[in-house]
Amino acid sequence: MRKWLAGLAALGMAAVGILPAQAAEPDSPKVIRVGATQAMDSMNPFLAVRLVSSSIHRWMYGFLTVPDSKTLQPSPDLAESWTTSPDGLTWTFKIRQAKWSDGQPVTAEDAAWTFTKMMTDDGAKTANGPAVENFASVTANGQELTIKLKAPQASMLDNPVPIMPKHVWEKVGDIAKYDADDYPAVTSGPYIAVEHKKDQYVKLKANPDYWRGRPKIDELQMIFYDNPAAAVVGLKKGDIDLIGRLAPPDFEALKGTDTIVQWNTEGRRSTYLQINHGATTSDNKPIGDGHPALKDPRVRQALHTAIDKQKLVDEVQNGLARPADGSIVPPMYKDFFWEATGAEKVSFDLAKANKILDDAGYKKGADGIRAMPDGSRKLQFRFSIHTDTPIEDKLAEYLTGWFKELGITLTTKRLDSSKFTEETGTTALFDIAISGWSVNPDPEEVLATHLCSRRPTASGEGGGTESFYCDPQFEQLYAQQQKELDRGKRAEVIKKMEQRLYTDAPVIALYYPNNLEGYRSDRIASVTSIPEDKGMLYGGSGYWPFYTLEAVSTNGESDEGSNTGVIVGVVAAVVVLAAAGLFVARRKRGVADERE
Amino acid sequence: MTVTQSAVDAIEERPARHGLARYAAAKAGGALLSIAMVIVATFFAFRLLPGDPVRALAQGRNMTPEQLDLERARLGLDKSLPEQFVHFVGQTLRFDLGVSYEYKRPVLDLIGERIGSTLLLTGTALVMAVSLGVWQGARAGWKPGSRFDRFSTAISLVLWSVPTFWLGLLLLMVFAAGVGPIPGIFPTRGIESVDAPDGFGYVLDVAKHMVLPCLTMVAVVYAQYLLVMRSSVLDEVGQDYVTTARAKGLRDDEVRRKHAVPNALLPTVTLVFMRIGFVVGGAVTVEAIFSWPGLGQLFYEAIRVPDFTLMQGTFLLITVSVILMNTLADVVYHVLDPRVRSA
């Protein structure tokens, strides 16, 4: 018994002794920990589709180009320069002299292999298939990479494909089944992944041979949380040093901590309503059960006029957004952002909205609800939102209130995400639905969701449409910007597309949510955002923030850490001793009982 | 326990051994039938769910019809329903749960990676909840209306009705973040620190990570054992054998521990086995709050996507283990309680 107790005591002492010892290493490397509320789906860049995965791949691999940290325009990355043929169909990139992290040189062969793999192997299309859809051929000659296109494509320089090392990846049998979990990974970007524990963390070490120079920190850790509230606690406590993509309540929970910087900037998202204004399939046959009144642009205009966007920003987004007086490209992208002014600008005005409907012949019935001019149907719309998104529920309440003032009934329809995608993107079984996109520095893709070709076929195939839009004017503008290689002129065309979306209103932009992040100033000395002038940290494209990060001190653990160790040790020792005491007491009584 | 066992031995007649074998065989047969039904039901239930899995996989990205077709073929969704069914049953009987849509890896591998951490968490929590619940329930039931009883019943009713996620978050806020004088000493997430030391230090690190999730689970689950134990001890209190034992002049404490409690434990046995079945499923909520990399978290992810094969696989695993544990509970009960046998 005594021996056993001694063992326990030793255990308690060890707990006290060991924990602080591990916390206070003098020359620990500079480590920055980033929290994410989404875990990696795959370390294989050909397969990974989640945002967190593409961020980590951005830090690991080189791309042809990277958005400039000041202007967000494409700037050299692995491609140090490029030329375009006059017809815009042939692009030639000069690949810079750089090294893979295993010492091999980076050549145009690597890039050619990467793109060709995606063009020829369907498994490799999973993540970025559309990026090479317009490629006719890709060839390499030393450091020169030539891409021939099927049709002109101005967004060519915003290519989202990481360049992979051919000499490593060509040995992979089936790309679609390859998990890419051999560490350290062979990469050419600022960081090398050295360890990955599924759903737990990814550890990245600075690449000493990175062509721009070694990052200033030694190690970057990405730590995954299932639960945003726990991540916020983790930041306050110092378990992590930075976290992005916060919801307004989580962001506000960071208030009042001196060492935490609340990073509140313009975001890359827009939140908008998509309206079923007479959905058709790609062969122009009507589909779905959208309300006929929504085909009338005047009704859509009236709805737009009845939305108090400022109020939505204040009450639904806790003030952490900007009301949308433009279309779906957020103001963060200054070059491409278009804003309505003058008579074109739609402002909140219930009387005016009512008048629009009165003039258009939608009369109010005895119950105060408007009906179609021919009296065939009441103006009762469904509003499709996602289940379990309190913010959309709240939004629905406000819209229902305003539309009621117009004599329009709005009922909320909650759908899980796959059903939602199906009804709003394929079967068109909706009237009005919530939507939102994260927009890339080149907005072409988000605008393309309004093309005729994005409508599904009669059998429900294909697609990727927003509100089944198909408009000749918009199509013509889209084709025009694709051919326009002059950035300024192209931006003008893109703005016209946004203007068309604003006035025709197949979608109604509500607001542009801010990008909400937080980091510890006692751990991060400096960080460059994208764009540099008050831009984004974690959520932005490119690797700038994580390449430029500077840590505060050499000590990986704060003083609190060693206290923690002591406290845990003491608690453990107390528990162990108490248990031992209890055990002894009970044993004694047990013996006494036996004697009776 | 020893008293019951000897009592059982005394009553037991020879042929009962055969009786047990036959009983166990019948129960096993029933279990197999249930499992077969679960396999069938799983197949259809997951096909009745709304939503197109391929489209869900695309996550809003633009995919060409060719790409969608290819994905469908890859997932076997291009085949007719009967064909899919035969394929599914054949696969399942070979313990092949298919390939996850999202992770693109065999579901069995994904489950294998996580089952250990789930068993560690839920197993520990179960042992703690049972010991605490049984001990406290027995004491409370022995002296109904006492201060201890009133206190225990009140606590267990409160904990039983508290939502798990709320309690978990509360513990997280208080003991991980620290409030006022309470320092935040426990980790906010996961099963281990990123820079966890090796050896004994690692064990301590994992133990530290287990405290809060385990506490949450114990708090929510143990009330059930307490209440069941309390009521079955209450049943025993008035029994003749208890009076007899007391009349023999045994100490009250001893009558409780050696006579009443072993008999009162029977209903708890069933409850424990049923729980073990659920242990495999983990605690979806607890794992989600504390980012515990277990099966519950995997299931939660699968629902969110939705990843049908993964959902199907985890669902099958959970239901089958519940069935098996129920069967085992029946058999064990049969061994422990002669009354069930004669009935």
Side-chain angles (χ1 to χ4, degrees):
Chain A
M1 170 59 66
R2 209 170 277 164
K3 220 180 195 175
W4 186 73
L5 263 180
L8 273 179
L11 191 90
M13 300 306 273
V16 179
I18 279 180
L19 285 160
Q22 97 196 25
E25 272 172 44
D27 280 335
S28 44
K30 287 184 186 173
V31 181
I32 292 295
R33 301 181 176 93
V34 182
T37 48
Q38 192 184 37
M40 279 306 263
D41 47 351
S42 172
M43 284 301 276
N44 179 345
F46 290 107
L47 302 181
V49 298
R50 292 189 182 169
L51 189 91
V52 62
S53 315
S54 45
S55 296
I56 290 177
H57 289 142
R58 281 253 171 215
W59 308 337
M60 289 169 64
Y61 296 99
F63 290 62
L64 285 183
T65 59
V66 61
D68 182 84
S69 61
K70 289 192 186 74
T71 61
L72 294 182
Q73 291 191 29
S75 72
D77 193 21
L78 272 185
E80 59 184 6
S81 62
W82 50 84
T83 53
T84 323
S85 65
D87 61 0
L89 289 177
T90 306
W91 291 71
T92 312
F93 295 89
K94 187 165 177 246
I95 303 297
R96 77 174 64 248
Q97 301 286 345
K99 263 193 214 158
W100 291 106
S101 52
D102 63 356
Q104 301 271 338
V106 177
T107 66
E109 277 294 331
D110 294 307
W113 180 85
T114 307
F115 291 124
T116 312
K117 188 76 191 165
M118 289 170 63
M119 289 157 66
T120 52
D121 180 344
D122 284 306
K125 279 197 179 96
T126 312
N128 287 310
V132 295
E133 221 170 275
N134 190 29
F135 287 15
S137 71
V138 185
T139 49
N141 178 14
Q143 295 301 104
E144 197 176 275
L145 177 79
T146 308
I147 301 177
K148 290 209 155 72
L149 300 178
K150 296 176 194 161
Q153 184 182 344
S155 61
M156 192 47 209
L157 290 175
D158 192 43
N159 189 294
V161 179
I163 305 300
M164 308 303 290
K166 180 188 175 193
H167 65 281
V168 177
W169 282 71
E170 67 183 351
K171 295 185 194 119
V172 174
D174 186 354
I175 288 273
K177 290 197 178 123
Y178 181 54
D179 217 24
D181 49 3
D182 299 325
Y183 299 105
V186 178
T187 66
S188 65
Y191 292 97
I192 306 165
V194 292
E195 197 183 337
H196 174 206
K197 282 221 172 164
K198 296 233 160 55
D199 294 332
Q200 295 283 293
Y201 58 81
V202 177
K203 242 191 225 182
L204 303 132
K205 285 240 164 25
N207 179 0
D209 299 324
Y210 182 49
W211 64 268
R212 264 185 220 275
R214 186 185 187 281
K216 295 183 183 97
I217 56 168
D218 302 299
E219 193 174 311
L220 188 61
Q221 297 173 355
M222 195 73 175
I223 299 178
F224 307 127
Y225 283 83
D226 282 340
N227 168 9
V232 167
V233 171
L235 182 71
K236 282 186 167 174
K237 220 188 132 183
D239 286 355
I240 51 173
D241 308 317
L242 184 146
I243 184 169
R245 289 165 63 77
L246 290 169
D250 292 324
F251 181 76
E252 283 174 348
L254 294 178
K255 230 176 250 167
T257 315
D258 298 340
T259 48
I260 292 179
V261 177
Q262 284 183 292
W263 193 252
N264 171 12
T265 61
E266 286 186 325
R268 60 189 279 216
R269 282 188 76 81
S270 54
T271 298
Y272 51 95
L273 303 177
Q274 42 180 333
I275 297 177
N276 188 343
H277 60 285
T280 49
T281 54
S282 54
D283 50 355
N284 293 321
K285 301 237 166 57
I287 183 177
D289 63 355
H291 197 289
L294 292 170
K295 287 184 187 169
D296 188 340
R298 291 169 298 182
V299 174
R300 304 202 290 271
Q301 213 51 256
L303 295 180
H304 196 168
T305 313
I307 299 171
D308 186 348
K309 293 168 183 172
Q310 184 62 51
K311 187 142 191 151
L312 289 180
V313 165
D314 294 342
E315 316 261 312
V316 176
Q317 284 285 326
N318 301 19
L320 299 165
R322 172 167 160 180
D325 284 320
S327 182
I328 54 181
V329 177
M332 172 193 168
Y333 299 114
K334 291 184 182 68
D335 291 356
F336 294 111
F337 177 63
W338 171 86
E339 192 163 27
T341 49
E344 209 166 40
K345 183 175 161 181
V346 178
S347 307
F348 176 60
D349 186 343
L350 284 175
K352 190 176 166 196
N354 264 308
K355 189 169 179 304
I356 296 174
L357 291 174
D358 285 336
D359 293 348
Y362 297 87
K363 294 273 168 330
K364 273 187 188 167
D367 53 0
I369 298 169
R370 290 181 191 274
M372 297 290 288
D374 59 3
S376 59
R377 219 171 135 178
K378 283 186 179 166
L379 263 53
Q380 288 170 324
F381 303 144
R382 295 158 296 173
F383 182 40
S384 304
I385 61 171
H386 298 90
T387 42
D388 303 331
T389 34
I391 231 167
E392 292 177 11
D393 265 305
K394 217 165 161 187
L395 187 73
E397 273 174 45
Y398 283 95
L399 293 181
T400 309
W402 292 317
F403 292 176
K404 199 178 167 198
E405 303 273 320
L406 288 190
I408 293 174
T409 318
L410 192 69
T411 48
T412 306
K413 192 175 165 188
R414 290 176 190 81
L415 298 165
D416 73 67
S417 62
S418 66
K419 191 79 187 155
F420 184 93
T421 318
E422 189 177 308
E423 290 198 354
T424 60
T426 313
T427 54
L429 303 175
F430 76 107
D431 293 323
I432 302 173
I434 188 77
S435 192
W437 271 86
S438 283
V439 180
N440 290 329
D442 189 304
E444 186 179 285
E445 171 56 23
V446 74
L447 291 167
T449 58
H450 296 84
L451 292 177
C452 298
S453 59
R454 289 300 179 89
R455 293 171 303 165
T457 61
S459 58
E461 297 296 310
T465 179
E466 287 292 325
S467 66
F468 295 76
Y469 197 54
C470 181
D471 175 62
Q473 193 184 331
F474 190 83
E475 296 286 311
Q476 185 258 320
L477 289 168
Y478 185 82
Q480 196 183 331
Q481 65 79 28
Q482 256 184 326
K483 286 192 211 103
E484 185 52 73
L485 297 179
D486 181 299
R487 189 175 164 93
K489 286 185 194 154
R490 179 167 173 249
E492 286 313 308
V493 183
I494 284 178
K495 285 180 186 176
K496 277 188 197 150
M497 295 169 75
E498 294 173 58
Q499 183 180 18
R500 177 70 187 149
L501 288 179
Y502 186 81
T503 49
D504 200 26
V507 289
I508 298 172
L510 299 175
Y511 48 77
Y512 308 112
N514 289 6
N515 175 57
L516 304 172
E517 308 184 81
Y519 69 86
R520 294 188 66 97
S521 55
D522 57 344
R523 298 281 301 123
I524 294 176
S526 79
V527 54
T528 314
S529 63
I530 323 177
E532 278 178 27
D533 171 32
K534 256 299 202 181
M536 310 170 72
L537 301 176
Y538 170 63
S541 316
Y543 44 74
W544 298 108
F546 295 89
Y547 174 61
T548 56
L549 263 183
E550 277 187 72
V552 165
S553 69
T554 51
N555 190 359
E557 204 90 20
S558 61
D559 289 340
E560 202 190 336
S562 46
N563 281 339
T564 307
V566 173
I567 292 164
V568 172
V570 169
V571 169
V574 166
V575 168
V576 165
L577 288 175
L582 200 71
F583 185 78
V584 171
R586 289 191 67 88
R587 280 288 292 211
K588 273 190 183 149
R589 211 167 62 193
V591 173
D593 282 351
E594 235 80 82
R595 277 196 215 114
E596 262 178 336
Chain B
M1 207 54 168
T2 47
V3 172
T4 337
Q5 205 50 54
S6 57
V8 166
D9 287 340
I11 302 164
E12 198 170 72
E13 291 163 35
R14 287 290 150 209
R17 291 267 171 237
H18 294 288
L20 176 64
R22 205 178 310 141
Y23 180 79
K27 281 286 164 192
L32 283 179
L33 189 70
S34 312
I35 291 174
M37 279 161 64
V38 162
I39 293 178
V40 176
T42 306
F43 176 81
F44 288 102
F46 285 96
R47 260 115 203 124
L48 284 180
L49 281 178
D52 175 353
V54 175
R55 209 162 273 287
L57 261 186
Q59 297 190 334
R61 286 168 310 129
N62 176 37
M63 284 171 98
T64 61
E66 293 76 37
Q67 256 183 299
L68 288 173
D69 281 346
L70 196 92
E71 277 294 294
R72 279 209 182 92
R74 198 171 66 79
L75 302 172
L77 294 170
D78 55 339
K79 299 200 181 72
S80 72
L81 208 60
E83 273 180 292
Q84 285 187 43
F85 179 70
V86 171
H87 181 70
F88 171 73
V89 171
Q91 251 192 344
T92 311
L93 292 182
R94 276 178 276 123
F95 293 105
D96 177 357
L97 297 177
V99 174
S100 151
Y101 290 4
E102 196 184 22
Y103 294 92
K104 290 153 191 95
R105 298 181 52 228
V107 170
L108 216 55
D109 287 4
L110 293 169
I111 289 176
E113 276 165 17
R114 286 167 175 83
I115 198 163
S117 44
T118 287
L119 288 180
L120 177 68
L121 173 64
T122 48
T124 314
L126 185 72
V127 169
M128 287 169 71
V130 170
S131 344
L132 189 66
V134 165
W135 173 78
Q136 205 179 340
R139 289 193 75 109
W142 192 246
K143 289 199 180 116
S146 66
R147 192 183 296 172
F148 184 81
D149 179 37
R150 276 178 290 142
F151 168 76
S152 303
T153 318
I155 286 278
S156 58
L157 285 178
V158 167
L159 290 176
W160 186 234
S161 40
V162 155
T164 312
F165 74 88
W166 184 83
L167 185 68
L169 273 182
L170 192 75
L171 290 178
L172 189 81
M173 301 287 179
V174 175
F175 296 107
V179 170
I182 306 169
I185 54 172
F186 294 107
T188 45
R189 60 164 302 286
I191 188 170
E192 61 189 359
S193 306
V194 181
D195 298 308
D198 290 332
F200 185 63
Y202 180 75
V203 176
L204 275 183
D205 184 60
V206 172
K208 197 167 138 188
H209 280 78
M210 260 175 72
V211 172
L212 292 184
C214 207
L215 203 63
T216 312
M217 281 189 80
V218 170
V220 174
V221 172
Y222 106 102
Q224 200 182 357
Y225 298 104
L226 192 161
L227 295 174
V228 169
M229 193 61 199
R230 178 183 177 274
S231 75
S232 54
V233 165
L234 214 52
D235 283 343
E236 304 297 328
V237 169
Q239 299 283 333
D240 290 343
Y241 76 91
V242 173
T243 320
T244 312
R246 276 181 172 150
K248 280 199 306 187
L250 293 183
R251 259 184 38 187
D252 196 48
D253 203 37
E254 201 182 354
V255 176
R256 176 173 58 86
R257 284 197 296 117
K258 294 204 166 167
H259 294 247
V261 167
N263 285 325
L265 263 175
L266 284 170
T268 323
V269 171
T270 324
L271 206 59
V272 170
F273 274 98
M274 286 185 58
R275 260 289 152 194
I276 295 179
F278 286 109
V279 154
V280 179
V284 179
T285 324
V286 172
E287 288 190 3
I289 293 170
F290 296 99
S291 314
W292 191 265
L295 285 179
Q297 196 197 45
L298 192 66
F299 194 47
Y300 177 70
E301 245 333 286
I303 295 170
R304 239 187 355 196
V305 170
D307 185 335
F308 287 103
T309 35
L310 190 52
M311 270 158 88
Q312 221 166 250
T314 35
F315 179 77
L316 261 179
L317 182 81
I318 295 166
T319 35
V320 167
S321 58
V322 170
I323 291 173
L324 289 180
M325 284 305 149
N326 259 328
T327 312
L328 201 60
D330 281 344
V331 174
V332 170
Y333 209 105
H334 190 81
V335 174
L336 292 182
D337 191 351
R339 285 168 298 184
V340 179
R341 244 175 293 165
S342 55

